[in-house]
Amino acid sequence: MLSGQYHFTPNDDIKEAYTYASSLRHEKARVKIKLIKEKDPYNLLVYHIENYIDFFEIFIREEEDQFKFLEKNKNLRLEQIKKGDKNDPFFRFCQAEIHLHWALVRLKFGQKFTATREVYSAYILLEENKKLFPQFANTYKSLSIIRVLAQSIPGVVRFLFGIESSIVKGTREAKFVYDHSKNEGSIFKDEIAIIYAYILYYQNNRKEEAQSILEKSFPGRTDNPLISFVTANMALKNGKNDLAIKILSERPKGKDYIEFHYLSFVLGKLKLYQLDKGSKVYLESFIKNFNGRHYIKEALQKMAWYHWVIEDDINGYQYYMNRIKNEGYDLIDEDKQALSEARSGIIPDKDLLKARLLFDGNFLNKAYQVLNDKQDKYTNGAHQLEYNYRMGRICHELHKENEAINYYAQTLQSSEKKSYYLCNSALQMALILEKNNKLSQALDYIKLCLSFSPDQYANSLHQKAKSAKLRIEETERQKFSK
């Protein structure tokens, strides 16, 4: 290589810097990056790795002042990368990744229009890269993310931008890069495994397969807080609450790592689902130390629930519910739901709330026992609606599908059309029918789900319904094309 020639070389120094950055050991990453710039000043991959540091810090901390201060780095790094060789597959890939990182960050701060433009810029670069270098696997890592993101972009914008939203194609691309990373080795191997597992879980409803991918990729890994979070979250999604608690309790922390207060919140919730008094210290730690935008109202709500269900302390419940009205933001479904409960002034029924917590922790038999002998207690109104919904969800997860269908059907008879209980009951009915290959009936319930506009969780429920609709329609197209 000629002296002074710009290049993209994923050598051992670059790999080590990426490992530090992606495991949140950012001071070590910065030291390594400084050494690379001195030792190998023309290796432009260093700017891509450097961008990871800003991305993770802003995404995890959610501090607007830090976001505004670091935002200028985006264009400075793009200018450096554009000095590279256009005939190198990393040339467009690195630019696309930087656009994509900042798009994801902007969504945290409600900058949807700018984020959409950045996603589109990344998409154009990656599609061009795919044509020029079809065997460059890293391209498909980012493309698979964009195809998932495109489902949440309003249809007219997606149409104008021409981003193809396909679960089948996105999954195929993610599998391609995942297989390649295992066989060839990749600087982004861990990241690729996480992306593939999440696409399997959220877009394809292939829960056990997603869990298996993570277990094979990260056996006993305790060196990366992000991996701890991802594996714990997937364990919880698959009903392994004890495993999730173990993973988070053993997560790496200390002066080498940036603070990841959200993990304390997750651990607090997991212990609350067990009705464990130890949940309090973790929830309090998050509320006290986190200075970001999301989950503050939800954390206050969970503290209120702790006092009501575990301590039988109505004053403690009301204290934390009152704080919800004045602290945090209501930008995401969980925080909106917490604020709605606080504003309503309605104290939840203790048994229904206890069953909800046990269900969320996958203590299904305990949740069933709490409610099964109390049917006569809930004979009308809001409590009857919630009882039918909760029993539907519990029976569904216990694989008592006939009982679940019966409870969902009773829930859907309610006149409370703004309740998310009806919207999710329709969605869950669709998922049961899809599982049993009754695709036409499943689509009817998806349509019913999308017809509801619940006051809570509308975005997430409708997104899940749209993913299911795309999945079923693609399955039917493949069936008829054979």
Side-chain angles (χ1 to χ4, degrees), residues 146-165:
I146 288 175
R147 297 203 198 283
V148 172
L149 284 176
Q151 292 184 46
S152 62
I153 298 172
V156 63
V157 176
R158 188 165 64 241
F159 172 76
L160 290 174
F161 282 175
I163 296 177
E164 181 183 356
S165 171

Side-chain angles (χ1 to χ4, degrees), residues 190-393:
D190 290 350
E191 187 180 343
I192 288 163
I194 291 169
I195 291 167
Y196 184 42
Y198 267 59
I199 287 176
L200 286 175
Y201 185 93
Y202 287 101
Q203 262 50 57
N204 294 272
N205 204 33
R206 288 153 62 179
K207 300 179 180 181
E208 293 80 7
E209 190 175 350
Q211 177 79 36
S212 176
I213 293 291
L214 294 183
E215 289 177 352
K216 290 176 182 176
S217 300
F218 312 117
R221 284 280 295 273
T222 58
D223 61 339
N224 187 325
L226 286 172
I227 290 175
S228 296
F229 166 64
V230 168
T231 53
N233 187 50
M234 191 64 72
L236 176 63
K237 296 289 187 184
N238 283 286
K240 301 178 180 180
N241 192 71
D242 289 338
L243 176 60
I245 289 176
K246 181 177 184 294
I247 292 169
L248 288 180
S249 297
E250 296 174 355
R251 72 190 188 277
K253 49 192 172 183
K255 60 182 180 62
D256 285 344
Y257 298 88
I258 69 167
E259 292 286 356
F260 199 170
H261 295 299
Y262 179 70
L263 297 188
S264 292
F265 174 47
V266 176
L267 188 51
K269 285 204 297 183
L270 291 174
K271 287 183 173 289
L272 182 61
Y273 298 155
Q274 292 183 323
L275 308 182
D276 183 343
K277 286 192 174 185
S279 60
K280 180 179 179 181
V281 64
Y282 295 102
L283 295 172
E284 284 182 331
S285 174
F286 177 77
I287 293 167
K288 179 181 178 181
N289 295 304
F290 185 62
N291 297 314
R293 299 163 68 85
H294 299 129
Y295 302 108
I296 294 172
K297 291 184 185 296
E298 187 195 1
L300 292 166
Q301 178 197 47
K302 296 304 182 283
M303 276 297 292
W305 289 0
Y306 164 86
H307 280 277
W308 182 221
V309 171
I310 297 178
E311 299 285 357
D312 194 27
D313 176 10
I314 190 62
N315 292 326
Y317 170 84
Q318 291 175 331
Y319 167 74
Y320 282 100
M321 294 307 291
N322 284 330
R323 284 181 62 179
I324 290 173
K325 300 172 187 176
N326 301 310
E327 298 179 37
Y329 297 79
D330 58 334
L331 301 173
I332 58 173
D333 284 341
E334 291 84 353
D335 290 329
K336 289 177 181 178
Q337 193 276 329
L339 181 60
S340 176
E341 181 181 336
R343 285 175 172 170
S344 75
I346 299 172
I347 299 171
D349 177 85
K350 191 178 294 184
D351 285 324
L352 289 170
L353 181 53
K354 184 181 293 185
R356 175 179 180 174
L357 291 170
L358 290 167
F359 173 84
D360 287 343
N362 204 54
F363 301 106
L364 302 174
N365 288 312
K366 289 182 179 180
Y368 187 82
Q369 290 167 8
V370 167
L371 295 184
N372 189 46
D373 60 352
K374 293 186 170 63
Q375 188 164 7
D376 293 341
K377 178 181 175 182
Y378 309 110
T379 56
N380 54 59
H383 286 162
Q384 183 187 36
L385 171 61
E386 184 176 356
Y387 175 84
N388 288 330
Y389 171 77
R390 298 274 170 229
M391 285 297 285
R393 297 292 291 120

